[in-house]
Amino acid sequence: MKQQANQMRPGQVIEYEGRRWTVLKIQIITPGKGGAFIQVEMRDIKTGTKKDDRWRTADTVERLMTEDKEFTYSYADGENLVLMDPETFEQTVVPAAILGDRLPFLVENMTVSVKLIEGDPVGMELPASVVLEVAEADPVVKGQTASSSYKPALLSNGVKTLVPPFVTAGEKIVVKTEDGSYVERAKG
């Protein structure tokens, strides 16, 4: 299905130069002189290599239709992730590179949405947020105001993020899986 380049969104799968690519990031740039263009970061589905490319807003790209299917994450097996179909209990193996930078946010028994083309996994979506424990947090600096300054913290999955001064090591917090940013303290 053809679509204009300026309608591409992260998570979509496109066909470009005879290969299938998952769109990771998109940025529309309007220079002071000349027409606007789209800067796209994408990953080759087969090889896992990343590529940046530019299109004019009027260009068309071939978007591939995907089918979304829910799976439960079981465990990591080397470079692969083992997922289970909650209805048939069959196991499916997908490459870990499919998640890119979001891999540390994958938690056992998490329900994930896998994008399929003709039965082949081409993309994976995580829930919007996940609860993680703060492994280390810097002490509060005297005179720091709670509203304006966040402090560095290390999460149990090894990702560094910024948290409000009142968060201490050992607490569970909710973070966005998209970028690892702090949302709130975990309830319960």
Side-chain angles (χ1 to χ4, degrees):
M1 175 177 106
K2 294 250 185 237
Q3 74 174 18
Q4 280 194 302
N6 63 351
Q7 293 178 330
M8 276 192 284
R9 299 288 174 261
Q12 286 183 345
V13 179
I14 62 169
E15 192 163 313
Y16 179 63
E17 296 177 341
R19 301 201 314 237
R20 293 176 175 170
W21 302 84
T22 302
V23 177
L24 302 174
K25 289 181 189 167
I26 181 166
Q27 184 178 12
I28 296 176
I29 299 169
T30 39
K33 194 174 178 180
F37 60 90
I38 293 100
Q39 177 80 29
V40 178
E41 184 181 312
M42 51 194 183
R43 175 179 279 118
D44 186 321
I45 290 168
K46 277 207 167 41
T47 64
T49 55
K50 279 187 181 179
K51 178 178 183 165
D52 284 343
D53 223 320
R54 290 181 174 184
W55 281 280
R56 293 187 321 250
T57 53
D59 290 345
T60 59
V61 292
E62 186 66 33
R63 178 180 172 197
L64 301 172
M65 297 310 292
T66 57
E67 171 196 349
D68 288 359
K69 190 165 171 43
E70 300 273 308
F71 285 92
T72 305
Y73 169 64
S74 295
Y75 59 92
D77 183 17
E79 296 289 310
N80 295 313
L81 305 174
V82 179
L83 308 175
M84 185 184 68
D85 186 326
E87 293 166 10
T88 64
F89 301 107
E90 286 181 22
Q91 289 189 338
T92 302
V93 177
V94 297
I98 207 167
L99 274 175
D101 301 342
R102 298 168 303 156
L103 185 61
F105 298 104
L106 189 62
V107 181
E108 268 187 39
N109 298 323
M110 177 184 276
T111 300
V112 295
S113 176
V114 178
K115 294 182 181 307
L116 303 165
I117 293 181
E118 297 163 7
D120 293 332
V122 294
M124 187 187 300
E125 291 298 316
L126 298 177
S129 61
V130 65
V131 175
L132 292 168
E133 188 175 322
V134 176
E136 296 172 20
D138 288 359
V140 177
V141 176
K142 192 174 181 180
Q144 215 175 21
T145 58
S147 61
S148 66
S149 48
Y150 277 41
K151 63 182 183 179
L154 182 68
L155 301 173
S156 57
N157 65 353
V159 173
K160 291 181 178 167
T161 190
L162 294 172
V163 297
F166 56 79
V167 174
T168 58
E171 278 190 74
K172 290 192 183 293
I173 60 169
V174 177
V175 294
K176 288 183 188 173
T177 55
E178 185 181 331
D179 57 8
S181 61
Y182 171 86
V183 178
E184 63 185 0
R185 276 182 167 153
K187 293 169 178 65

